[in-house]
Structures are given as C-alpha cells and as structure tokens.
Amino acid sequence: MTQLSALIARALDDMCEYQERFTRDPGHAQVSLADIPHALVPTHVVASDLPRELVEILGAELAPAVMYRFGRLIGLSHAAAFFADRKIGMTEPQYRVLTGPFHFAWAGYGDVQLLLWEPRLDEDFLVLWESDNSFSAREALNDGHRSRACHLQAGYAAGWASEATGLPIDVQEIACRAEGVSYCRFAMAHRDRVSLWMRDPRLHRPTKQYKVMPASMPRAASV
C-alpha cells in the first residue's frame, strides 16, 4: 500500500468513528456532532434561495464571494473541532489535509476524487480534485441554472486546508457540473500562487489522464 493509500484508509476509519457521535435531542432543540451544536438547513435554501437573495442585495459579483466566505468559515470550524477532538497535531499536515474530503462527504457537500496531490507546506502547495455530486451543482441543475455554482464547496475546502496547514489556502472551481460537464473540478493552492496555477495545463486535462485516487466514503450498494 502506498503512503497516500495508507493515509486514506486511516482517514476513513478516523472519520467513521468521529461521525458516530452524531446525536439529536429534540427536547432541547439541538443536533450535535461530537458535542458541537449544529442546525440542519435544506440544501435548496443554501444552494439556490440564499444565493438568489444575496444577488438581490449585493449584486451578481459579490454574492459568490459571500457564499465562498460562508463555506470557508464552516470548513475552518469543522476542521478545528475535528483536529482537537482526534488530537491530530501540526506534525501531520498531510493527514490533516486528507481528512477534509471525508468530513466534506459526511457533511453532505459532495464526494472527492484526488487528481493531483502535492500538499507542500509552502507556496507550491497544490491539490487538484473533482466531485460528481456537489449539492450546489445538483440544485443549480434542478433549477435550470447553467453557471458555476459550487462557491460554498470551494470555500469549505479552503477553510479546511487553511486550518490543516496554517497556510492561506484558496480554492477555485475550474469546471462545474452545472455548466454541463461530468464533474466539478477544484484547484487548492496557496493564495499567492493560485492564479499562476490556474494557467498550468496540468490542471485542465481530461479526468482519464490522471491517476485518480478516491478520497471519499464508500457508497451504499443499489437495491
């Protein structure tokens, strides 16, 4: 087993144990994950209704940035709580980054397939990944929208990776299922280099040209 495969197997087990601590206490109007209160919100509200309201209030240019910042705050919070609970310190930065996709799936944001894995702890940090079931893209398609939609997912990934590494990580969506392609593709990079990476042809190849590494929870068998 390669080092990355071993880390993925460990992350799968670690996240399964953590997510078993999901509880509901309707008597106190509280839903908790590992003792951290949460509130359940319909995906359609987050993916369609909220962005539409933001466009009306702030305009089409600022609304995506707000959704990105919203996702980033959630990713930062989830990552900090998970690392503290599981006692995963900064001595394991790659593992901290890799656990993100598994929490991403458990939280309902989408699955992750790694295409490029180069999580260096400097300005050369780069991770390229795809998802074929982002809820933002799904809701956009259901509503008939044909524009890039996964600002929340990009922000979440940026928040998790920033908390994991201590670096200012940004995430840009390169392609989105809402635009008619098969996958939503994202590039994670250091804030000072992300624009340069976006011009790198390695980030724009067909999926079949990558050595794809699934970093997601197993899917239930079809009945």
Side-chain angles (χ1 to χ4, degrees):
M1 181 182 292
T2 66
Q3 181 182 11
L4 180 56
S5 296
L7 288 177
I8 288 175
R10 176 187 168 192
L12 178 61
D13 290 341
D14 220 359
M15 192 59 68
C16 284
E17 290 183 10
Y18 183 75
Q19 295 292 340
E20 285 180 356
R21 292 160 59 197
F22 179 84
T23 61
R24 301 183 185 192
D25 184 358
H28 292 89
Q30 186 165 296
V31 174
S32 298
L33 172 60
D35 303 321
I36 300 169
H38 283 64
L40 300 181
V41 179
T43 58
H44 190 271
V45 171
V46 179
S48 297
D49 297 339
L50 178 57
R52 184 168 53 250
E53 294 286 332
L54 290 173
V55 169
E56 291 183 8
I57 297 169
L58 302 174
E61 291 187 6
L62 287 179
V66 173
M67 292 302 298
Y68 181 92
R69 292 290 188 93
F70 182 36
R72 187 176 186 277
L73 289 173
I74 298 171
L76 283 167
S77 178
H78 277 172
F82 177 73
F83 299 148
D85 184 86
R86 308 304 291 181
K87 297 179 174 58
I88 306 170
M90 290 298 293
T91 58
E92 299 186 278
Q94 288 199 21
Y95 184 62
R96 286 163 64 98
V97 173
L98 190 59
T99 54
F102 294 92
H103 203 294
F104 193 75
W106 273 104
Y109 287 78
D111 65 357
V112 172
Q113 295 188 94
L114 298 174
L115 306 182
L116 292 176
W117 175 253
E118 300 173 5
R120 301 183 181 92
L121 293 182
D122 54 31
E123 291 186 354
D124 289 328
F125 180 101
L126 176 65
V127 176
L128 184 69
W129 56 281
E130 289 183 342
S131 175
D132 70 354
N133 60 3
S134 156
F135 79 74
S136 293
R138 181 177 65 246
E139 296 291 353
L141 286 169
N142 289 341
D143 285 348
H145 298 306
R146 293 297 181 268
S147 59
R148 208 155 289 182
C150 302
H151 312 294
L152 190 73
Q153 282 77 3
Y156 186 103
W160 189 286
S162 296
E163 183 69 27
T165 62
L167 297 172
I169 301 298
D170 270 351
V171 175
Q172 289 197 19
E173 188 176 18
I174 298 174
C176 186
R177 286 183 62 234
E179 298 173 310
V181 296
S182 298
Y183 290 88
C184 302
R185 180 176 293 185
F186 303 84
M188 301 171 54
H190 191 283
R191 183 176 300 159
D192 295 341
R193 295 289 300 278
V194 67
S195 295
L196 292 174
W197 280 120
M198 292 297 288
R199 297 197 292 268
D200 190 322
R202 292 194 304 154
L203 275 59
H204 305 280
R205 299 170 180 167
T207 303
K208 63 183 180 182
Q209 292 186 13
Y210 296 96
K211 184 177 181 181
V212 178
M213 177 68 70
S216 55
M217 305 304 299
R219 295 188 178 182
S222 300
V223 178

